[in-house]
């Protein structure tokens, strides 16, 4: 069985879990606190970042995109119509572009700041950057959320799924990223009906259920977080 080192409020970790679940791959979860920088974990990934997948023969695959490529080559290529990577070359390019949009652009502009200020900073020791939330960072991140929701609404309003006619890695990347903000109650869906309907479909999938059942210690989710019909 594969083993995934993850952090629950990390978008790449969530994306990897969704991908594994969509391909019905059994796996074991080990929660890793990246700021602790455990020596044993650094031996698997010297960068000290999650996710890291222990694949066959305990071979570590570190990083969201390398894990995605590994899973597509070893599982997706045999999944036929359930493959998360589109068949056509330009469709694959679009799915990859949107995957990076959410896992990198939205992460860098919004999600990691929200998680750092609201979730991890209160847990971290002062010498590792812990302390009170930075109000300025939160204010900037909340401003950026509006543009990402607007873009998601545009995509969802013009396509069956974000990257085209079928569920793809783009939907899982967006769902993983937005679900963190949804947990924190930072999403205002007003005026974004297409995005809201798309997100309801994504969070209704069986692969999403484990994420919706999890709770961060000391930080309960928004009231509608676990409700697909929010």
């Amino acid at each position: 069985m594969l083993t995934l080192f993850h952090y629950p409020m990390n978008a790449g970790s969530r994306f990897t879990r969704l991908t594994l679940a969509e391909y019905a791959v059994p796996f074991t979860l080990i929660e890793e606190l990246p700021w602790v920088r455990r020596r044993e974990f650094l031996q698997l990934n010297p960068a000290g970042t999650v996710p890291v997948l222990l694949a066959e023969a305990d071979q570590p695959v570190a990083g969201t995109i390398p894990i995605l490529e590994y899973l597509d080559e070893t599982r997706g290529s045999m999944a036929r119509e359930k493959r998360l990577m589109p068949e056509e070359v330009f469709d694959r390019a679009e799915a990859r572009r949107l995957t990076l949009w959410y896992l990198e652009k939205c992460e860098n502009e919004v999600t990691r700041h929200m998680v750092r200020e609201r979730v991890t900073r209160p847990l971290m020791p002062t010498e590792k950057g812990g302390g009170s939330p930075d109000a300025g960072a939160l204010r900037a991140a909340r401003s950026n959320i509006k543009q990402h929701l607007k873009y998601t609404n545009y995509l969802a309003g013009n396509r069956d799924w974000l990257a085209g006619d079928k569920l793809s890695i783009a939907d899982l990347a967006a769902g993983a990223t937005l679900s963190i903000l949804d947990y924190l109650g930072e999403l205002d869906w007003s005026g974004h009906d297409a995005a809201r309907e798309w997100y309801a479909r994504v969070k209704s999938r069986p692969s999403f259920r484990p994420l919706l059942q999890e709770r961060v210690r000391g930080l309960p989710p928004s009231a509608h977080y676990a409700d697909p019909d929010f």
Side-chain angles (χ1 to χ4, degrees), residues 45-169:
N45 181 18
T49 56
V50 291
V52 173
L53 183 71
L54 280 187
E56 287 77 9
D58 288 340
Q59 177 68 39
V61 183
T64 308
I65 300 305
I67 294 173
L68 167 63
E69 293 174 351
Y70 161 78
L71 291 175
D72 181 61
E73 292 174 6
T74 61
R75 271 73 176 183
S77 59
M78 299 179 288
R80 297 184 180 181
E81 69 278 0
K82 293 185 178 180
R83 189 176 188 180
L84 295 169
M85 192 72 76
E87 292 297 325
E88 298 297 325
V89 61
F90 290 113
D91 292 340
R92 287 200 300 273
E94 177 67 351
R96 288 189 174 105
R97 180 186 75 84
L98 290 176
T99 296
L100 293 178
W101 179 283
Y102 288 98
L103 294 182
E104 291 187 359
K105 184 175 176 62
C106 188
E107 172 78 4
N108 290 332
E109 294 178 354
V110 179
T111 319
R112 72 182 179 91
H113 302 289
M114 284 293 179
V115 172
R116 183 186 64 218
E117 302 305 328
R118 293 196 52 192
V119 183
T120 62
R121 180 165 280 186
L123 299 176
M124 295 167 63
T126 304
E127 64 272 15
K128 290 185 178 293
S132 301
D134 183 332
L138 287 173
R139 188 162 49 249
R142 285 174 177 141
S143 177
N144 289 333
I145 288 175
K146 300 174 184 177
Q147 294 305 313
H148 285 284
L149 264 184
K150 183 178 180 180
Y151 187 50
T152 304
N153 195 66
Y154 166 78
L155 294 170
N158 288 277
R159 300 170 176 177
D160 293 335
W161 295 92
L162 294 191
D165 296 333
K166 293 175 57 180
L167 177 83
S168 75
I169 56 173

Side-chain angles (χ1 to χ4, degrees), residues 31 36-37 82 95 108 116 139 157 173 199 203 225-226 228:
E31 183 173 338
V36 173
R37 297 185 64 81
K82 293 185 178 180
N108 290 332
R116 183 186 64 218
R139 188 162 49 249
Y199 183 58
K203 71 189 292 190
Y225 173 70

Side-chain angles (χ1 to χ4, degrees), residues 4-72:
L4 180 67
F5 291 83
H6 79 118
Y7 181 58
M9 299 299 278
N10 170 262
S13 296
R14 288 186 168 222
F15 170 72
T16 302
R17 292 174 63 183
L18 291 172
T19 304
L20 286 163
E22 288 289 337
Y23 284 145
V25 179
F27 63 99
T28 299
L29 276 175
I30 296 179
E31 183 173 338
E32 188 69 33
L33 304 180
W35 62 87
V36 173
R37 297 185 64 81
R38 286 192 309 118
R39 181 166 57 183
E40 294 83 0
F41 182 66
L42 292 175
Q43 290 174 345
L44 298 176
N45 181 18
T49 56
V50 291
V52 173
L53 183 71
L54 280 187
E56 287 77 9
D58 288 340
Q59 177 68 39
V61 183
T64 308
I65 300 305
I67 294 173
L68 167 63
E69 293 174 351
Y70 161 78
L71 291 175
D72 181 61

